[in-house]
C-alpha cells in the first residue's frame, strides 16, 4: 500500500516478523495489549519496531499463563511484572494442588474400575477442606475411642491422633486419604474396630490383655515373619514351639479372639492407610504374618 509509512508494518508484516497468526495479533490489538501506532489512509492498522518488542513481551507473559487483563495492566504501568507474577504463582500453586488431587482421584478410579457414583464420592472426599477432614476424623475417634478405660498415656495418644494431609500432598497421600475416609465413615468398620480395641487395649491397673502384644508391640509379628521365611508351616510341632515361645502359658483362646478381632476389623489396613496419608514410612504389611499366627493358634486348640 503506497499510503503506508516506510518505517511501519502492516498487521500481516508484523505477523511475518513475529511468527504469530494475524488473528492472534488482531485479538491482542483489539484487547489493547498491542495497539496500532497509527492507521493508514485506508484505515489499516500500522505498527512499528516497538510493536515487535511489545508482541514478544505479550507472548512471553501469555506463555507463562498470564491472562490478557494482567498483561495489559503490566504494559500500562498499573502493575509491575513482579506483582503480577507473585499473584500468579499463588494461583498456579492452587491449580497444581487441584490437579494433583484430580490425578489421584482419576488414578484411583482407573485402578478400582469405579462407577460414576463412586467416582463422585471419591472426588468429594478428596476435595474436603482441612476443617471438613478434621470433622470426619474427630467423629470417627469419638465413636471408636471415646469412653475406653485405657491407660491415661495411651488415651492421650489416641485422643490426639491426627490424620491430616499437607498443603501439597503427593498423589499417594491423596489416594490413601480417599480410601481412609471411606473406611472410617463405614459404621461396620467403626463397630469392628471398637470391639477389637476393647479386647486389646491395655487398661490402667490391669494386666495387659492376652493378645495386646500382637498389636501394641511388633516383636510378635517380626518373630512370625522370621519363622515364615524359614518355611515353617502353621500346623505342626515347629509351629507349636513358636506359640510356646511367644505366649508361654497365656490363655491362647483369648489371644486368638484378640487376633481374629483385629483381622476382621482390618486394623492392619487402617494402620497402613494412616501412615500413607501422613506421608510417613510404615512397617511392612503384616497381614500374612497375622493370618499365619491365627491358623497356628486354631490348629493348637484342643480337639
Amino acid at each position: 500500500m503506497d499510503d503506508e509509512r516506510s518505517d511501519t508494518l502492516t498487521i500481516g508484516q508484523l505477523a511475518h516478523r513475529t511468527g504469530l497468526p494475524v488473528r492472534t495479533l488482531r485479538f491482542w490489538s483489539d484487547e489493547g495489549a498491542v495497539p496500532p501506532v497509527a492507521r493508514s489512509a485506508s484505515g489499516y492498522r500500522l505498527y512499528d519496531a516497538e510493536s515487535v518488542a511489545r508482541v514478544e513481551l505479550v507472548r512471553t507473559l501469555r506463555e507463562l499463563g498470564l491472562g490478557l487483563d494482567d498483561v495489559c495492566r503490566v504494559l500500562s504501568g498499573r502493575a509491575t511484572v513482579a506483582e503480577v507474577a507473585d499473584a500468579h504463582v499463588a494461583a498456579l500453586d492452587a491449580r497444581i494442588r487441584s490437579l494433583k488431587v484430580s490425578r489421584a482421584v482419576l488414578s484411583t478410579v482407573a485402578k478400582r474400575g469405579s462407577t460414576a457414583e463412586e467416582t463422585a464420592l471419591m472426588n468429594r472426599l478428596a476435595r474436603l477442606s482441612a476443617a471438613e477432614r478434621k470433622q470426619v476424623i474427630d467423629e470417627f475417634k469419638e465413636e471408636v475411642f471415646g469412653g475406653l478405660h485405657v491407660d491415661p498415656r495411651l488415651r492421650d495418644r489416641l485422643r490426639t491422633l491426627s490424620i491430616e494431609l499437607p498443603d501439597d500432598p503427593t498423589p499417594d497421600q491423596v489416594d490413601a486419604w480417599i480410601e481412609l475416609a471411606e473406611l472410617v465413615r463405614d459404621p461396620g468398620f467403626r463397630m469392628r474396630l471398637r470391639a477389637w480395641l476393647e479386647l486389646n487395649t491395655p487398661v490402667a491397673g490391669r494386666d495387659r490383655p492376652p493378645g495386646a502384644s500382637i498389636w501394641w508391640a511388633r516383636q510378635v509379628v517380626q518373630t512370625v515373619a522370621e519363622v515364615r521365611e524359614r518355611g515353617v508351616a502353621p500346623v505342626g510341632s515347629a509351629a507349636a514351639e513358636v506359640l510356646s515361645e511367644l505366649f508361654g502359658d497365656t490363655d491362647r483362646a483369648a489371644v486368638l479372639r484378640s487376633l481374629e478381632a483385629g483381622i476382621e476389623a482390618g486394623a492392619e489396613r487402617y494402620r497402613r492407610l494412616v501412615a500413607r496419608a501422613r506421608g510417613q514410612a510404615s512397617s511392612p504389611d503384616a497381614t500374612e504374618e497375622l493370618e499365619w499366627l491365627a491358623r497356628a493358634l486354631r490348629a493348637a486348640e484342643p480337639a
Side-chain angles (χ1 to χ4, degrees):
M1 299 172 208
D2 54 11
D3 55 354
E4 295 172 14
R5 297 180 353 222
S6 60
D7 61 341
T8 59
L9 302 169
T10 65
I11 198 167
Q13 291 170 326
L14 183 62
H16 180 75
R17 181 79 67 88
T18 60
L20 288 168
V22 168
R23 65 178 180 275
T24 298
L25 293 173
R26 187 174 290 115
F27 176 66
W28 288 358
S29 181
D30 290 342
E31 294 297 313
V34 188
V37 297
R39 292 271 183 173
S40 69
S42 305
Y44 292 102
R45 310 175 208 224
L46 298 176
Y47 302 88
D48 59 11
E50 289 187 9
S51 300
V52 176
R54 192 175 177 102
V55 167
E56 293 303 329
L57 176 57
V58 174
R59 172 158 48 190
T60 296
L61 295 176
R62 292 290 287 148
E63 287 176 348
L64 289 171
L66 273 66
L68 271 182
D69 286 345
D70 283 334
V71 171
C72 290
R73 287 174 59 220
V74 170
L75 294 173
S76 67
R78 287 177 288 136
T80 66
V81 174
E83 289 169 342
V84 172
D86 186 56
H88 203 62
V89 165
L92 281 174
D93 285 342
R95 178 62 177 157
I96 288 168
R97 287 194 294 270
S98 178
L99 286 172
K100 284 184 176 181
V101 171
S102 296
R103 183 190 182 282
V105 171
L106 290 172
S107 175
T108 303
V109 167
K111 183 169 60 179
R112 296 187 189 180
S114 303
T115 64
E117 292 78 10
E118 291 168 339
T119 300
L121 173 61
M122 285 188 285
N123 189 52
R124 286 197 299 274
L125 292 174
R127 297 183 189 280
L128 292 176
S129 68
E132 289 168 331
R133 289 195 299 268
K134 183 177 183 300
Q135 183 178 354
V136 169
I137 298 303
D138 284 349
E139 289 175 354
F140 163 74
K141 288 195 295 184
E142 179 58 32
E143 183 170 338
V144 174
F145 303 123
L148 280 177
H149 300 294
V150 301
D151 182 279
R153 289 172 298 179
L154 180 58
R155 183 177 60 245
D156 291 340
R157 282 172 51 198
L158 295 174
R159 185 174 293 160
T160 58
L161 173 69
S162 63
I163 305 169
E164 186 54 81
L165 289 175
D167 290 336
D168 188 21
T170 65
D172 184 64
Q173 284 178 288
V174 177
D175 181 74
W177 163 254
I178 292 171
E179 190 173 345
L180 182 62
E182 290 176 316
L183 184 64
V184 300
R185 292 166 76 248
D186 177 6
F189 171 71
R190 294 184 180 194
M191 181 181 66
R192 292 190 298 273
L193 195 66
R194 173 75 184 204
W196 165 72
L197 282 168
E198 289 174 344
L199 280 174
N200 291 279
T201 305
V203 177
R206 298 185 189 176
D207 293 337
R208 178 182 289 266
S213 59
I214 301 170
W215 302 101
W216 301 108
R218 304 300 288 182
Q219 292 94 325
V220 172
V221 169
Q222 181 60 39
T223 298
V224 174
E226 294 169 359
V227 167
R228 290 184 67 244
E229 196 171 315
R230 297 202 306 267
V232 175
V235 178
S237 58
E241 289 179 13
V242 172
L243 294 180
S244 295
E245 176 187 338
L246 290 174
F247 304 116
D249 59 358
T250 299
D251 181 353
R252 294 185 188 176
V255 173
L256 180 58
R257 284 195 300 273
S258 162
L259 180 57
E260 289 177 329
I263 293 172
E264 183 182 3
E268 186 68 2
R269 177 191 174 199
Y270 170 73
R271 177 188 68 82
R272 290 179 58 78
L273 284 173
V274 169
R276 282 178 55 203
R278 290 172 168 173
Q280 296 174 336
S282 172
S283 52
D285 188 344
T287 300
E288 292 186 0
E289 282 73 25
L290 297 173
E291 293 284 2
W292 185 98
L293 190 56
R295 287 196 296 272
L297 286 165
R298 292 188 200 106
E301 285 187 317

